[in-house]
Amino acid sequence: MRKNKDTEIQFQETTKVINGQKYEIGELYLGKKKIGEILTYATKDFRVFIGDENCGSAKTMDDALELFIRQWNLQD
């Protein structure tokens, strides 16, 4: 019988300059592999990216993380 393995996702905050404007970015890693980003676009606008694909937006960071995990599970 197969055991379920826990998957640990790491979240690291950084900043990135896009089109001359500085944004806060949350990078998501599975081990050492970067699997996605959450861009803090405005106070209540968080954009979720998996690779170069825009997967949607959310009003809170918690909702953005949940959206990321849902979308990532669909792609995996």
Side-chain angles (χ1 to χ4, degrees):
M1 191 170 189
R2 225 172 102 191
K3 289 186 178 183
N4 287 338
K5 237 178 158 180
D6 288 339
T7 303
E8 185 175 318
I9 296 175
Q10 295 179 6
F11 181 82
Q12 295 179 356
E13 291 185 23
T14 187
T15 57
K16 189 184 256 188
V17 177
I18 302 170
N19 295 330
Q21 190 150 354
K22 197 175 192 180
Y23 294 98
E24 289 184 27
I25 302 281
E27 298 177 329
L28 296 133
Y29 290 88
L30 181 61
K32 293 182 180 183
K33 181 182 176 188
K34 184 172 152 182
I35 57 174
E37 296 179 331
I38 298 176
L39 167 74
T40 304
Y41 193 70
T43 305
K44 290 189 176 185
D45 188 9
F46 298 88
R47 308 277 171 97
V48 177
F49 294 90
I50 296 177
D52 291 334
E53 182 183 346
N54 184 347
C55 295
S57 62
K59 291 186 178 184
T60 67
M61 179 60 83
D62 289 341
D63 289 345
L65 284 168
E66 191 174 315
L67 174 62
F68 173 82
I69 291 168
R70 271 191 270 126
Q71 292 297 321
W72 185 66
N73 281 332
L74 290 174
Q75 291 184 1
D76 192 27

